[in-house]
Amino acid sequence: MLNVCTPSAEEQKEIASALARVPKQPLFGSDFEVSRGRSTLTDLPSFMPLGQRTNVSGDPSVASYVRIRREFSVQALFASVQYSFSNDGQNMVETLVFHVREPKDLIQVSLEDSASAVTSPQAMLATSTPVNRIRLERFGKSSVALARCYAAETGPAPDQSAYEPLFRSAAEILTNYRGVLGAKSTVPQELAKTSGVVASASKVKAKSVRAKASTKTPPDK
């Protein structure tokens, strides 16, 4: 069971060390990937912090997403970075994942933040949204994680003031990589294309249903 609310002093040092090694001014190679699509979600979102008071329906939801991947061009700790943005109509989630080039102890570092979909993707991307989850995947060991934790029925919210420097550092990294990856312009453009594909598919389906209905033989009188 991961202690995501109050990680130990040693785990805090590991998180701080990994965040400090993320390049602030990365040099990327020429290879890149931008993808978009829609995905059906049936499980509780991984970004949901422990004890957060959010209503989650048991029915599957559909999320539109955009992913951007770049390769680091020099022999650094990390080989690649992948940014993703998803919107299921209730919540918008950003995830930034750094993959280690030669995993020995650390495999990857991931940062997540989220915001209510009552605002627009453009507004979220223009704001330094607080990171609510930091996770280190380790080779041959359990993961190390830190998440924003809130009051629950079993008790009050834990005191996480000691972890604010880690959350702040993670938020600075995510905000910086929004810029260097061009997410502020790419995400809204690709989401609009996804919406256009879905709208076209809905029109075709509706037209097909009407065509089938018109070809039915009327009942005998």
Side-chain angles (χ1 to χ4, degrees):
M1 185 72 178
L2 288 180
N3 180 11
V4 299
C5 294
T6 56
S8 67
E10 186 62 31
E11 290 173 331
Q12 293 176 57
K13 289 181 180 179
E14 285 196 55
I15 294 173
S17 176
L19 295 179
R21 299 182 71 178
V22 173
K24 291 183 174 60
Q25 297 178 325
L27 297 175
F28 293 127
S30 57
D31 294 349
F32 71 93
E33 176 186 354
V34 177
S35 60
R36 64 179 185 271
R38 286 168 67 87
S39 178
T40 301
L41 309 175
T42 57
D43 299 322
L44 184 68
S46 63
F47 64 83
M48 198 68 70
L50 183 65
Q52 183 171 348
R53 296 175 181 175
T54 303
N55 293 325
V56 180
S57 171
D59 298 329
S61 61
V62 177
S64 299
Y65 67 85
V66 176
R67 296 191 184 119
I68 304 171
R69 183 186 60 82
R70 295 297 304 265
E71 306 283 340
F72 291 106
S73 63
V74 296
Q75 276 291 340
L77 173 64
F78 301 105
S80 65
V81 57
Q82 178 173 292
Y83 168 92
S84 66
F85 184 101
S86 68
N87 184 356
D88 68 357
Q90 293 184 326
N91 296 284
M92 296 182 292
V93 185
E94 286 182 292
T95 307
L96 188 66
V97 181
F98 296 89
H99 300 277
V100 173
R101 189 179 302 277
E102 296 179 0
K104 294 179 181 179
D105 182 31
L106 185 65
I107 299 176
Q108 69 178 35
V109 178
S110 64
L111 314 175
E112 292 183 355
D113 68 12
S114 62
S116 171
V118 295
T119 188
S120 66
Q122 290 91 333
M124 180 179 178
L125 291 165
T127 306
S128 181
T129 309
V131 166
N132 54 26
R133 190 174 185 87
I134 306 168
R135 186 183 182 95
L136 310 184
E137 296 287 346
R138 301 187 297 179
F139 186 78
K141 300 179 182 179
S142 60
S143 299
V144 173
L146 170 62
R148 296 274 186 187
C149 296
Y150 301 85
E153 294 180 359
T154 55
D159 181 7
Q160 293 190 299
S161 56
Y163 314 119
E164 285 306 319
L166 295 177
F167 283 122
R168 186 162 55 248
S169 177
E172 290 172 355
I173 290 171
L174 202 154
T175 298
N176 180 44
Y177 272 80
R178 277 179 182 170
V180 297
L181 294 172
K184 290 183 180 181
S185 58
T186 301
V187 168
Q189 292 172 3
E190 296 300 318
L191 286 177
K193 293 176 183 177
T194 301
S195 299
V197 170
V198 173
S200 297
S202 298
K203 289 180 180 178
V204 171
K205 183 177 180 180
K207 185 177 181 180
S208 176
V209 170
R210 289 196 299 269
K212 289 181 180 179
S214 64
T215 58
K216 287 184 178 180
T217 304
D220 295 333
K221 295 183 179 179

